[in-house]
Amino acid sequence: MRFFKEIRKYWGFAKYAANCDLKAEVANSYLNWLWWVLEPLATMIIYTLVFGIAFNSQEEYFPIFIIIGIMMWDFFNRLVMSSVDMIRGNQHIISRVYMPKYVLVIQRMLVLAFKMMINFGLVVIMLMIYRVHINFNILFIIPILIVFFMFCFGFCLLIMHFGVYVSDLTKALNIVLNFVYFLTGIFYNVGTSFPQPFGYLLQRVNPIAYFLFCMRKAVLYGETPSVIMLFVWFVISLGICVLGLRVIYKNENDYVKMV
Amino acid sequence: MSEIAIEVKNVKVVYKLNQKFSIQRNLIRRDAEKAKVYEAVKDVSFSLKKGEILGVTGKNGSGKSTLLRALAGVFRPNEGTIDLHGNSISLLSLGIGFNDNLTGRENIYLSGMLLGFTEAEIEAKENAIIEFAELGEFIDRQVKTYSSGMYSKLAFAITSNLETDIILIDEVLSVGDEHFQRKSLARMEELIRDDNRTVVLVSHNIETLERLCTQVMWMNDGIVMEHGDTEEVLEHYREFMS
């Protein structure tokens, strides 16, 4: 398939470019890469203070509960927001040489995945501090992340495509993502906070909420996430990826002429 | 030396204007304009043998740069075919190409990789490129700190040192100061003299075309007016323009 052949060809580029992006981000800042640790750490502390103490949340291991939420949400949110302007922002490249346009999304995903890894390092440290009992269910992280990345990739291909043609998509997305943010349960439990069956449904219909739900289950509470439901989301994500790639392949020819 | 390097058949490239829309405008007034179509390249066919140097000239807006970008694969033609017979190709043009937030050195690697070179191949050429670009310590500074002259010097150094089978040049022979111009022209001639290299050169400068090209194509309003012997075509072009 064309996609896999191209991936092999452009993987080196995506990796190198992502590496450069990361370096450029910290090159001129005083605290350097420490920012990557401080950012999620500070958010965790703020949320724990506000929702854990002021709003008196009853979730077990609340700081870890939150940091897992931030980890996944930041990845998704940042990827979506940067996808809107991705074609315009990389005009200097695409107007000079052909590249499959989805490579740009992959490059961005690599950057964000690296930050996510740092975030995950924080999760591991917190798990040790809180002496959380973990079991083999933690291995579910791998399939959960695979489906999560697939969903993000496919979804952002579509966002990138529409970003070229719709001039105020950023504004619209800001509102939509704000809405989704509160329905995803970064700082509260979606499943138990809404009256049933809405909570139950929301946790499964909102993909990000679902991935979060699974992740917390596997890491924090040592429970097995629903394999069937995860498989359903795998199939849906695969569908979105195929659709996204088709749209990109069909239209990428025109992107250069638009920007 | 009769192997064909570039074969272009009935190529047409269309730009659609007014294709953008905004959610707000469409929700409030449902009068999204129909996209207008502009044909930048209407019907161009030519073939070029390996080792030839084709000059393309014509007044502004005649479709030269669009044709070049279609050749480079930046976009596919809307109609017609372009066959490069498996040759690698790079487009050298002014004012575009780098990520401003990265250093010159990083940009060398990124450009090289997109042109299809491996990291090791670029590493082997890295010093030659840096030396040619005469950037000194600026090579490890962000490209946004460069002057426009340094910018184009680096662009020229990359494309002229990472040699592809076909090189497309869009008006870049006037890069940098006089010293660098002479140097780049010399380098260009060196590249061009290589019998295995095919070059398409877009320029308004008749002197340059006369000096470098083995044949010239004159374009006007997206079609080929004349294609053939350098002196003959240029003479007709000069008459037409005056």
Side-chain angles (χ1 to χ4, degrees):
Chain A
M1 212 173 117
R2 178 177 166 191
F3 174 69
F4 293 106
K5 226 164 69 190
E6 284 175 342
I7 282 285
R8 211 166 335 144
K9 190 172 165 200
Y10 286 93
W11 182 249
F13 169 80
K15 228 168 58 181
Y16 192 89
N19 198 358
C20 290
D21 284 350
L22 283 168
K23 261 193 276 173
E25 211 173 287
V26 295
N28 301 316
S29 73
Y30 185 58
L31 285 174
N32 232 306
W33 56 268
L34 264 179
W35 280 120
W36 293 333
V37 183
L38 286 177
E39 226 185 324
L41 198 65
T43 319
M44 181 196 74
I45 293 171
I46 296 167
Y47 279 32
T48 308
L49 285 177
V50 175
F51 298 106
I53 297 174
F55 283 81
N56 194 20
S57 168
Q58 297 303 314
E59 293 298 327
E60 207 181 350
Y61 308 124
F62 192 58
I64 314 181
F65 179 92
I66 282 179
I67 205 166
I68 293 176
I70 298 169
M71 177 175 89
M72 312 264 294
W73 175 258
D74 270 0
F75 182 92
F76 174 72
N77 184 38
R78 287 175 179 170
L79 188 65
V80 172
M81 288 320 284
S82 50
S83 296
V84 185
D85 267 328
M86 204 155 262
I87 296 291
R88 221 166 300 143
N90 287 287
Q91 197 194 354
H92 61 279
I93 302 178
I94 61 171
S95 61
R96 201 177 62 136
V97 65
Y98 174 77
M99 70 186 296
K101 306 300 175 279
Y102 58 78
V103 173
L104 296 169
V105 176
I106 292 178
Q107 174 192 340
R108 186 74 189 141
M109 282 179 80
L110 288 174
V111 170
L112 292 171
F114 179 80
K115 292 184 182 172
M116 192 180 192
M117 242 167 56
I118 292 177
N119 226 320
F120 191 73
L122 281 178
V123 172
V124 173
I125 294 171
M126 298 287 289
L127 285 175
M128 289 194 288
I129 293 175
Y130 277 79
R131 295 174 193 283
V132 177
H133 181 72
I134 54 169
N135 57 21
F136 71 94
N137 278 311
I138 202 157
L139 292 177
F140 269 100
I141 290 180
I142 298 162
I144 295 170
L145 281 183
I146 291 175
V147 180
F148 174 63
F149 287 148
M150 280 173 61
F151 175 81
C152 289
F153 179 64
F155 184 71
C156 286
L157 288 182
L158 295 172
I159 295 290
M160 178 173 87
H161 168 73
F162 289 114
V164 178
Y165 297 99
V166 185
S167 48
D168 48 3
L169 189 61
T170 308
K171 290 192 187 78
L173 269 177
N174 261 327
I175 298 171
V176 173
L177 281 176
N178 200 359
F179 194 58
V180 176
Y181 171 80
F182 283 100
L183 290 181
T184 296
I186 316 298
F187 49 82
Y188 70 99
N189 188 328
V190 182
T192 54
S193 301
F194 284 95
Q196 299 308 340
F198 301 109
Y200 180 88
L201 279 176
L202 193 58
Q203 202 156 51
R204 283 155 184 80
V205 172
N206 172 355
I208 308 303
Y210 182 69
F211 297 134
L212 257 186
F213 173 57
C214 290
M215 200 68 164
R216 283 166 176 163
K217 248 185 162 176
V219 176
L220 217 45
Y221 308 122
E223 293 167 30
T224 312
S226 156
V227 178
I228 299 170
M229 198 59 208
L230 198 58
F231 184 75
V232 169
W233 272 111
F234 169 77
V235 174
I236 295 175
S237 301
L238 191 67
I240 298 176
C241 284
V242 171
L243 178 71
L245 282 172
R246 282 220 177 138
V247 170
I248 298 283
Y249 276 142
K250 194 171 159 230
N251 293 288
E252 66 178 359
N253 213 10
D254 289 331
Y255 294 165
V256 190
K257 300 175 187 169
M258 291 295 302
V259 286
Chain B
M1 278 296 103
S2 59
E3 203 181 320
I4 286 177
I6 305 178
E7 218 173 344
V8 174
K9 271 191 201 141
N10 303 100
V11 160
K12 180 186 203 174
V13 181
V14 172
Y15 287 90
K16 287 185 198 128
L17 308 173
N18 294 335
Q19 222 181 342
K20 268 193 191 178
F21 77 100
S22 88
I23 299 171
Q24 174 236 354
R25 224 186 319 150
N26 275 264
L27 282 180
I28 296 171
R29 292 181 286 127
R30 307 188 60 93
D31 61 349
E33 287 173 60
K34 273 269 157 62
K36 288 191 190 103
V37 168
Y38 173 71
E39 296 178 351
V41 175
K42 284 173 185 150
D43 182 9
V44 171
S45 305
F46 69 91
S47 70
L48 200 57
K49 284 176 191 154
K50 203 168 174 178
E52 295 269 0
I53 301 140
L54 172 69
V56 181
T57 193
K59 64 176 194 219
N60 288 329
S62 57
K64 307 181 298 287
S65 297
T66 304
L67 177 66
L68 223 53
R69 291 212 276 172
L71 283 174
V74 171
F75 37 68
R76 282 189 304 272
N78 295 69
E79 281 173 28
T81 56
I82 294 172
D83 190 350
L84 300 177
H85 297 277
N87 290 303
S88 60
I89 194 161
S90 64
L91 169 64
L92 180 53
S93 75
L94 252 177
I96 43 168
F98 299 131
N99 183 338
D100 279 357
N101 288 318
L102 304 181
T103 66
R105 196 186 297 273
E106 288 166 338
N107 272 299
I108 293 177
Y109 277 86
L110 290 177
S111 307
M113 284 178 182
L114 284 177
L115 291 176
F117 292 89
T118 65
E119 224 175 315
E121 283 168 328
I122 302 165
E123 214 179 316
K125 300 265 185 179
E126 189 183 339
N127 285 329
I129 294 172
I130 294 171
E131 205 175 297
F132 193 92
E134 304 172 341
L135 290 174
E137 58 183 30
F138 269 89
I139 196 69
D140 287 313
R141 293 206 194 144
Q142 288 174 316
V143 170
K144 64 182 168 199
T145 63
Y146 287 20
S147 70
S148 59
M150 294 159 86
Y151 201 90
S152 17
K153 273 154 89 169
L154 182 62
F156 183 85
I158 290 175
T159 323
S160 61
N161 282 287
L162 292 172
E163 301 165 14
T164 49
D165 305 329
I166 302 170
I167 296 186
L168 310 171
I169 305 164
D170 195 355
E171 295 276 17
V172 277
L173 292 171
S174 51
V175 166
D177 51 24
E178 220 168 297
H179 153 74
F180 194 83
Q181 273 180 36
R182 243 177 293 130
K183 188 171 144 185
S184 56
L185 198 59
R187 174 77 187 138
M188 196 53 71
E189 283 177 348
E190 192 185 316
L191 280 177
I192 283 171
R193 257 201 301 271
D194 187 335
D195 284 340
N196 287 319
R197 181 151 301 109
T198 314
V199 178
V200 179
L201 172 71
V202 165
S203 181
H204 291 285
N205 190 331
I206 291 182
E207 243 171 75
T208 316
L209 292 170
E210 271 174 344
R211 185 164 159 201
L212 295 175
C213 301
T214 56
Q215 48 179 287
V216 167
M217 188 165 89
W218 163 25
M219 285 180 71
N220 198 29
D221 283 334
I223 54 168
V224 179
M225 296 289 277
E226 202 177 348
H227 177 188
D229 178 62
T230 305
E231 272 155 40
E232 219 178 289
V233 177
L234 286 177
E235 203 185 303
H236 294 158
Y237 173 61
R238 237 184 312 226
E239 277 167 27
F240 177 82
M241 289 303 277
S242 61

